Amino acid sequence: MLLRVCRQIAQAGGLGPTLVPTTSAVVCPRMFQIRNSSSAADIEKSLENINGLFVEARDEIEYANEDLETVYFNESFKEAKERVHSCLDAYKELLDSFGDDEQGRGKIERSMGMKMEQLKAELDLLDKHLLE
C-alpha cells in the first residue's frame, strides 16, 4: 500500500519512492511532514545517503564475517565498525533534524529503526568474535 501511495505522489508531480536495495521496504520522503527548515528534497537526499551507507556497512560486515579466523579479520572488523558508525551517525543526524516534530521523527524511526538496530546487533556479534 505504501508503494501505491508513493507512486500516486510521484504521478502528481511529487517525489518518487526511494527503494531500499537490501530489503523490500519502501521509504517515501513526501509522506513525512516537515516543520523544520528541512525540505522534502533534503529528507530524500538524507534517506538515500543513509540507505547507501547501510548497504556499505552490511557489505563490510559480510566481509568481516568471511574473514573470521584469518589474519585479515581485525582490519575487516575495523572497516565494518567505521561504516556502521557512519550510517548510524547519518541516521541520528536525520532524526535530530526533525527537532520537536515527534510525528516526523517517529515515521523515520518506524521506517528505518529496525535496520539501524540490525547493524548494531551484527557489529556486536563481530565484536564478540574479536574478543575470543
Side-chain angles (χ1 to χ4, degrees), residues 6 48 51 75 86 88-89 98 106 115-116 123 128 132:
C6 288
E48 287 175 6
N51 286 329
E75 187 176 325
S86 287
L88 293 174
D89 289 346
F98 281 91
K115 289 176 21 176
M116 299 304 119
L123 187 65
K128 288 178 184 176
E132 292 177 354

Side-chain angles (χ1 to χ4, degrees), residues 6-77:
C6 288
R7 284 187 182 140
Q8 289 171 349
I9 292 169
Q11 289 171 351
L15 299 173
T18 302
L19 296 176
V20 180
T22 59
T23 67
S24 61
V26 176
V27 178
C28 185
R30 185 62 105 180
M31 295 182 71
F32 300 107
Q33 292 191 9
I34 300 151
R35 295 183 184 159
N36 287 348
S37 60
S38 297
S39 68
D42 291 340
I43 292 173
E44 179 178 26
K45 189 175 182 179
S46 293
L47 289 172
E48 287 175 6
N49 180 49
I50 292 167
N51 286 329
L53 291 170
F54 176 80
V55 170
E56 290 175 9
R58 291 279 296 122
D59 286 345
E60 292 300 329
I61 288 170
E62 187 176 323
Y63 297 148
N65 276 321
E66 291 171 2
D67 288 341
L68 280 173
E69 299 181 22
T70 70
V71 296
Y72 305 110
F73 176 71
N74 287 343
E75 187 176 325
S76 294
F77 174 75

